[in-house]
Amino acid sequence: MSSQHVLNDLYPSVSQIPQQYRLQGPMEQRRYLLDGEILQWQGEVAPINSPLCLGTDSGPEQVILGHTPLMDSKAALKALDAATNAYSLGAGEWPSMSVAERISHVETFLGHMRKQRSEVVKLLMWEIGKNLKDSEKEFDRTCDYIVDTINALKELDRQSSHFHIEQGTLAQIRRLSIGVVLCMGPYNYPLNETFTTLIPALIMGNTVVFKPAKFGVLLITPLLEAFQKSFPKGVINIIYGRGRDTVSSLMSSGKIDVFAFIGTNKAASDLKKLHPKPHRLRCVLGLDAKNPGIILPDVDLDNAVNECVAGALSFNGQRCTALKIIFVPQSLQRTFIDKLEVAIAKLKVGVPWADGVQLTPLPEPGKTDYLSNLVNDAIEHGASIANDNGAMIKHNYFHPAVIFPVSKEMRLYREEQFGPVIPVVPYQEVSEVIEYVRDSNFGQQLSLFGNNPSEIGQLIDCLSNQVGRININSQCQRGPDSFPFNGRKDSAEGTLSVHDALRVFSIRTVVATKHSTDGKSLINNIIKIRTSSFLTTDFIF
Ligand code: G3H
């Protein structure tokens, strides 16, 4: 296939864009949410470029989407003050509120958020190049996550409304908030992954400073008012700007109690080190991964190829759960590569809203150069590009490249490419693959492709202490959101799921007395005359 054919649909003219996906001109976004008010930032702003180009008479032109505030440390610290005051050492209105009332605020937010679906979906496409189907899925999955979180909290509260009697002690145990949470999400899921920490943090009674991801920033704008209208002042504060100008001073202040961050382990470590009292900082981190796909000799190769293509190339490989290296037995290497090449050639390249498009331009400036360097390094060490048009670049677009045979000396063997490059490593003995997994700095997930029960069974036992999830005959993925999502080594800290996130953002707290006549009578009276919102047997239906 010619490169021209591959790129045919990448640069539409404005008139070729369906009306509902057209931009209404650049968004000069200066608004931010501080202490319950939407304020106008008067300082510097940063330009936001789209990964997409438009076709013009003078050739493709990159679209400038608008600007976003470049806030400084002083402004960030004001947001922290607002969150700290709203928390008031746990005595603030929000942490003191009943669970049922907090749920109703989150329901109000969800109602406002749903009305912004089309705007957020449109911005997801323009800001990060995510295709329409996946952008809609990201929005809907986030709404579902909020509904599931509310239901999980109701269940948790019901479980906490009873009393325990153990060894002469009468007690009630509830999960309470921790304090001020700093939430930072990633650009590949700027809505969903951010909200999987933000919403549980809020609903458990914490107050939050939220800084949107480096791309996927403007799409938070339509939600600013939703946040403002739904929560008491100071409970959620939204700031923008470079991490080093904003987040560093927040961490150095020592006033952040929980650090919820999805990004690189280097950035997470650098920020954690700034906290003066590390023992007071709880961290919830989703970090780097290099998930291997392991093809075994006894495999349904067509299924494995389909799953590897989806696993390695959904959203152009920009998923932390993407398959980032594939091991194939030498006996199957040729057939596997041929089938992979055919499957990749069928993927449609284009703009995110076009029907069936799977491959789109990349949002990170310099990313195509970075990927080219990885490919060139592999070529220098003896690998080749195994598919037509592989590694071809046009503006921000990088065509998927299958690189074969990849070996230990190449950067692609260990480095997380986070993009559309598929390194394929041939192996003779499965022990070589086991050694790779054990030696890896990362431990998020892996996929096994095969049908031999004894071989798969043994590999599960051998590899299950290395990663957080083993997928059999399917790609790696986070969902369903009720399943635990975590990682070992440098891949994560803490476990997220609808259920686990409520626990991560809270601490179990016990009120106990002697199981004596006096003790029982006092507790009974507190419940009867309703003097405590902790000690109560109220039940949320
Ligand atoms: O980028 C990491 C995401 O959590 C991956 O989620 O597997 O649903 O794409 P996903």
Side-chain angles (χ1 to χ4, degrees), residues 141 188-189 193 318-321 418 476-479 485:
R141 177 181 179 184
N188 61 335
Y189 279 94
E193 285 231 296
Q318 302 166 117
R319 291 160 62 228
C320 60
T321 47
F418 211 75
C476 297
Q477 60 185 37
R478 176 178 178 146
F485 179 54

Side-chain angles (χ1 to χ4, degrees), residues 240-532:
Y240 299 87
R242 294 184 204 101
R244 61 177 178 275
D245 300 333
T246 53
V247 180
S248 302
S249 46
L250 299 186
M251 291 298 271
S252 310
S253 74
K255 292 182 184 169
I256 298 293
D257 300 299
V258 187
F259 178 39
F261 174 81
I262 321 276
T264 66
N265 71 78
K266 160 123 186 29
S269 302
D270 290 350
L271 286 167
K272 276 176 78 168
K273 278 185 215 142
L274 296 175
H275 200 289
K277 294 185 178 174
H279 59 279
R280 285 176 67 160
L281 181 70
R282 183 179 288 196
C283 292
V284 188
L285 309 175
L287 307 172
D288 323 50
K290 183 87 177 171
N291 295 344
I294 303 165
I295 315 285
L296 298 165
D298 185 1
V299 65
D300 171 348
L301 208 49
D302 288 327
N303 173 64
V305 167
N306 289 339
E307 292 292 322
C308 285
V309 169
L313 296 179
S314 300
F315 191 34
N316 312 302
Q318 302 166 117
R319 291 160 62 228
C320 60
T321 47
L323 286 174
K324 297 195 180 102
I325 189 160
I326 294 174
F327 289 86
V328 61
Q330 281 174 351
S331 56
L332 292 177
Q333 63 187 46
R334 200 57 265 162
T335 332
F336 178 72
I337 296 280
D338 288 347
K339 283 178 182 281
L340 204 55
E341 192 185 346
V342 171
I344 291 172
K346 286 185 190 153
L347 300 178
K348 194 168 162 192
V349 182
V351 282
W353 48 83
D355 201 24
V357 158
Q358 284 138 312
L359 300 169
T360 56
L362 310 176
E364 278 182 287
K367 187 62 181 259
T368 53
D369 288 345
Y370 167 75
L371 295 174
S372 287
N373 288 341
L374 287 182
V375 170
N376 290 338
D377 168 78
I379 291 171
E380 275 164 32
H381 288 93
S384 304
I385 301 173
N387 60 314
D388 275 356
N389 300 313
M392 181 186 61
I393 295 173
K394 206 76 182 166
H395 294 272
N396 292 345
Y397 179 75
F398 188 98
H399 196 64
V402 176
I403 308 298
F404 178 83
V406 164
S407 54
K408 282 185 178 142
E409 320 65 62
M410 302 172 190
R411 287 171 59 194
L412 269 175
Y413 191 73
R414 292 280 177 209
E415 209 166 305
E416 180 184 16
Q417 65 272 39
F418 211 75
V421 177
I422 311 181
V424 181
V425 186
Y427 70 87
Q428 205 156 16
E429 302 292 337
V430 79
S431 57
E432 297 160 39
V433 187
I434 295 171
E435 192 189 317
Y436 175 88
V437 176
R438 291 166 68 100
D439 283 352
S440 174
N441 281 332
F442 308 119
Q444 191 198 61
Q445 299 191 15
L446 59 82
S447 290
L448 295 174
F449 296 98
N451 287 306
N452 179 330
S454 67
E455 185 168 32
I456 300 227
Q458 281 166 24
L459 278 171
I460 291 171
D461 289 358
C462 168
L463 298 173
S464 52
N465 283 330
Q466 304 300 321
V467 291
R469 172 166 166 167
I470 294 176
N471 304 278
I472 299 171
N473 291 321
S474 72
Q475 60 159 310
C476 297
Q477 60 185 37
R478 176 178 178 146
D481 287 327
S482 52
F483 283 9
F485 179 54
N486 58 18
R488 294 170 182 263
K489 306 181 194 170
D490 290 347
S491 283
E493 190 172 332
T495 296
L496 287 173
S497 72
V498 169
H499 169 94
D500 288 299
L502 296 176
R503 285 153 181 82
V504 167
F505 290 102
S506 61
I507 180 162
R508 285 200 296 166
T509 308
V510 183
V511 174
T513 187
K514 290 204 166 68
H515 187 217
S516 60
T517 311
D518 287 350
K520 281 190 284 186
S521 157
L522 179 59
I523 299 286
N524 258 329
N525 283 330
I526 291 172
I527 293 169
K528 206 152 105 195
I529 58 173
R530 306 182 72 81
T531 52
S532 166

Side-chain angles (χ1 to χ4, degrees), residues 92-152:
E93 179 192 1
W94 184 248
S96 319
M97 201 176 267
S98 72
V99 169
E101 282 175 289
R102 279 205 302 269
I103 286 176
S104 111
H105 283 268
V106 174
E107 282 171 340
T108 304
F109 172 75
L110 180 59
H112 292 306
M113 176 176 161
R114 286 191 196 279
K115 293 184 195 137
Q116 302 299 331
R117 183 179 189 266
S118 55
E119 193 57 23
V120 173
V121 165
K122 182 164 87 176
L123 286 167
L124 273 167
M125 293 192 287
W126 280 101
E127 279 195 270
I128 59 165
K130 189 169 275 193
N131 70 31
L132 176 62
K133 193 165 145 254
D134 287 348
S135 296
E136 289 176 336
K137 191 166 148 202
E138 176 159 356
F139 189 92
D140 297 338
R141 177 181 179 184
T142 308
C143 293
D144 292 347
Y145 190 93
I146 298 175
V147 172
D148 292 346
T149 297
I150 290 169
N151 289 334

